[in-house]
Amino acid sequence: MSSDVLPFQRSLVEKYDLPGPRYTSYPTAPNFHAGFGVDDYRQAVQRSQQGTPKPLSVYVHVPFCESLCYYCACSKIITHNRERAAEYLGLLKREIALQAELFDGQRELAQLHLGGGTPTFLTNAQLAGLIDSLAQHFSFAPMSRREFSLEVDPRTVTPQQIHELRAMGFNRLSFGIQDFDPLVQKAVNRLQSEAQVAALMDAAREADFASVSVDLIYGLPLQTRDSFDTTLAKVVALRPDRIAAYSYAHLPSLFKAQRLIRDEDMPPPGRKLELLELTIERLTQAGYVYIGMDHFALPEDELSLARENGTLQRNFQGYSTHAQCDMIGLGVTSIGKVGDAYSQNVKTTAEYAEHLEAGRLPVLRGYRLTAEDQLRAELITALMCHGEVRFAEFEDRHGIHFQQHFAAALNQLEEMREDDLIEIKQDALRVRPAGRLMMRNLAMAFDAYLVAESGRFSRTV
């Protein structure tokens, strides 16, 4: 792994700030197709159970939110109608039962993540019912091997509820902060106080959560260097175990909610890179380790330790220490990966209900990886998690001559090598310190399906 020093060279960052995928999967979701259906998914599960099956991970998508955050590009439903949550929970339980029928009952469920939307739109009693349903149908790993996490909107829970979530078995929390500045919060319709977040983080520590992370977004309307510097100082003072600082992708042509942001409030060109540089500077000065992409963690956190010892992985939730699991996606729009196949569920609650009430898994589309896909997926993971690719390892595992097989990609990377972002030797490709901010660009060279569609992907830096 490259040095912890993270040089920020503005001219190079600007040069490589291009639209590109985030590579939480390879091939990426635009390559999923409707020709992949329920039967294909069942066959993928069967193949995954041959030999020594992997542990299981479950992602549950809860699409509901009480109010609309204007920056949001997630799949969500804005409603105050709590009956919708009760109906949805009933459907989730049906899907859990259908999925569980396919899997060997001895396979441990080691990882659970609730995302959204707003998972805490569900009451704690409803969340407990969801956990009970999963426990009835799957074999939970022992407490010491579990990673059960959920995303929390600080506006929707109390400190007492945080303690109740811990009692349910959750041991990791992620709080959406985005920005503490009141003007920025008003511009994106997400008002919450520093005191609210601090009280919840105190409760999480009292309840003995193993890890607490927070999300920030830079590039939001009305953000300035000084205002975001103040937010960063407040976040550092809270001392979360992990911090994700995401670049805001303003794509109003794709996401209707973003049209509610006033054009005149958007930061000037160059501001996002200024804020990224500031974020890296402030967080590393405060002792956080840059994991990669948008992620920072304290040195003693599992992610930092995994990065150090070479076991860091990557999945749909970003960087992880449990990505060796087969992932089951539950709920509308959710994506899973079991064995050699990705699958994605239908996108509306009406379609979801129609499938489940008929006793069918709600698979919309998917993709079965070829041997070449698996080779490239493994390579991209090695680059993004470990910062290097040792040619001999790939040659032995996949029966290729690396430099011949990837001659076009290596040629494409020549400019990055000249810019001292990577080094290419006879036996390996390694990411140089300055290149760690351009991981997505590096991965793009090995993407056999990439089509330059500037309107589809966020920018790479």
Side-chain angles (χ1 to χ4, degrees):
M1 175 57 72
S2 305
S3 161
D4 277 330
V5 177
L6 190 64
F8 189 96
Q9 298 178 34
R10 174 66 68 91
S11 61
L12 288 177
V13 173
E14 289 176 344
K15 176 179 178 179
Y16 289 97
D17 186 20
L18 306 167
R22 296 182 58 79
Y23 293 110
T24 50
S25 71
Y26 181 84
T28 56
N31 294 288
F32 300 176
H33 58 86
F36 183 102
V38 174
D39 288 342
D40 300 286
Y41 178 72
R42 290 177 186 276
Q43 290 166 18
V45 174
Q46 289 170 3
R47 290 192 298 274
S48 79
Q49 304 196 128
Q50 296 166 3
T52 305
K54 295 178 180 179
L56 297 176
S57 171
V58 168
Y59 171 74
V60 183
H61 188 73
V62 181
F64 305 107
C65 295
E66 285 188 3
S67 63
L68 178 66
C69 301
Y70 296 165
Y71 56 79
C72 186
C74 299
S75 173
K76 71 274 182 189
I77 297 167
I78 310 302
T79 182
H80 288 278
N81 182 358
R82 297 286 162 173
E83 280 302 308
R84 296 197 67 179
E87 293 164 6
Y88 186 74
L89 191 59
L91 294 171
L92 274 174
K93 290 176 179 178
R94 291 193 189 197
E95 188 182 8
I96 289 168
L98 288 174
Q99 286 278 6
E101 287 175 5
L102 303 181
F103 289 88
D104 180 340
Q106 299 304 306
R107 294 180 72 172
E108 283 188 353
L109 197 163
Q111 187 181 49
L112 171 67
H113 183 78
L114 272 58
T118 306
T120 45
F121 184 91
L122 301 179
T123 66
N124 276 18
Q126 289 173 327
L127 287 169
L130 176 61
I131 297 294
D132 287 346
S133 181
L134 286 165
Q136 287 167 19
H137 290 90
F138 291 96
S139 300
F140 282 7
M143 283 289 188
S144 61
R145 292 205 295 273
R146 283 188 212 172
E147 185 179 286
F148 283 17
S149 64
L150 82 165
E151 299 166 11
V152 175
D153 179 342
R155 302 170 299 172
T156 63
V157 296
T158 65
Q160 176 57 34
Q161 286 173 290
I162 294 294
H163 284 271
E164 292 168 5
L165 290 169
R166 183 71 188 93
M168 271 179 231
F170 289 103
N171 56 10
R172 295 179 182 275
L173 291 178
S174 173
F175 292 112
I177 292 177
Q178 325 316 351
D179 195 310
F180 276 132
D181 187 275
L183 292 176
V184 176
Q185 290 183 357
K186 186 177 180 182
V188 298
N189 196 40
R190 188 185 174 100
L191 298 172
Q192 61 192 28
S193 71
E194 182 188 351
Q196 274 179 300
V197 176
L200 296 175
M201 289 194 67
D202 285 345
R205 291 201 170 94
E206 288 167 10
D208 199 28
F209 275 83
S211 179
V212 178
S213 64
V214 302
D215 292 348
L216 301 174
I217 301 178
Y218 63 90
L220 290 174
L222 299 181
Q223 277 179 341
T224 66
R225 189 184 193 282
D226 287 346
S227 74
F228 203 60
D229 199 9
T230 300
T231 287
L232 289 169
K234 291 176 177 179
V235 168
V236 165
L238 292 171
R239 209 66 181 164
D241 301 286
R242 301 176 186 178
I243 299 172
Y246 297 110
S247 170
Y248 172 53
H250 192 57
L251 301 167
S253 62
L254 290 182
F255 306 111
K256 192 180 293 185
Q258 295 183 357
R259 296 171 204 166
L260 297 170
I261 293 174
R262 301 194 316 168
D263 289 340
E264 59 266 34
D265 288 346
M266 286 301 295
R271 174 70 53 79
K272 274 175 73 172
L273 296 184
E274 185 182 4
L275 297 178
L276 171 60
E277 183 175 16
L278 175 70
T279 300
I280 292 167
E281 181 183 330
R282 291 290 183 260
L283 296 185
T284 53
Q285 281 175 350
Y288 284 88
V289 175
Y290 179 65
I291 302 299
M293 297 282 287
D294 330 281
H295 289 66
F296 299 79
L298 290 174
E300 62 273 18
D301 186 83
E302 276 188 359
L303 275 187
S304 297
L305 299 176
R307 176 180 169 266
E308 190 66 31
N309 65 28
T311 59
L312 190 66
Q313 297 289 320
R314 194 162 167 76
N315 61 19
F316 289 106
Q317 275 78 62
Y319 286 100
S320 172
T321 57
H322 284 68
Q324 74 279 11
C325 299
D326 278 329
M327 181 184 288
I328 302 168
L330 301 173
V332 291
T333 75
S334 66
I335 296 175
K337 182 178 187 291
V338 176
D340 60 2
Y342 294 109
S343 62
Q344 183 172 26
N345 277 354
V346 294
K347 297 188 176 184
T348 69
T349 52
E351 292 170 295
Y352 187 64
E354 181 185 341
H355 280 268
L356 290 166
E357 286 166 1
R360 297 192 307 269
L361 285 170
V363 175
L364 170 68
R365 59 180 188 157
Y367 187 93
R368 183 179 179 185
L369 282 76
T370 64
E372 180 69 16
D373 293 331
Q374 293 182 61
L375 161 62
R376 290 176 183 262
E378 191 180 315
L379 190 158
I380 288 170
T381 295
L383 283 172
M384 300 191 88
C385 294
H386 314 307
E388 71 172 0
V389 172
R390 297 174 186 171
F391 300 161
E393 292 178 4
F394 283 82
E395 290 174 340
D396 291 345
R397 276 199 297 272
H398 297 277
I400 61 167
H401 183 287
F402 192 96
Q403 288 176 306
Q404 289 179 6
H405 194 91
F406 291 111
L410 294 172
N411 185 58
Q412 191 177 328
L413 291 172
E414 187 59 26
E415 191 170 3
M416 292 186 82
R417 188 193 64 77
E418 290 173 359
D419 286 334
D420 200 30
L421 300 175
I422 58 172
E423 60 180 22
I424 301 174
K425 303 289 189 182
Q426 281 299 111
D427 63 341
L429 185 161
R430 293 185 180 87
V431 183
R432 302 277 295 148
R436 293 183 61 208
L437 289 173
M438 290 78 165
M439 288 292 198
R440 289 164 72 178
N441 305 75
L442 187 52
M444 286 161 68
F446 295 97
D447 187 337
Y449 302 99
L450 190 62
V451 177
E453 293 185 68
S454 60
R456 169 168 276 168
F457 299 115
S458 62
R459 300 183 81 82
T460 56
V461 182

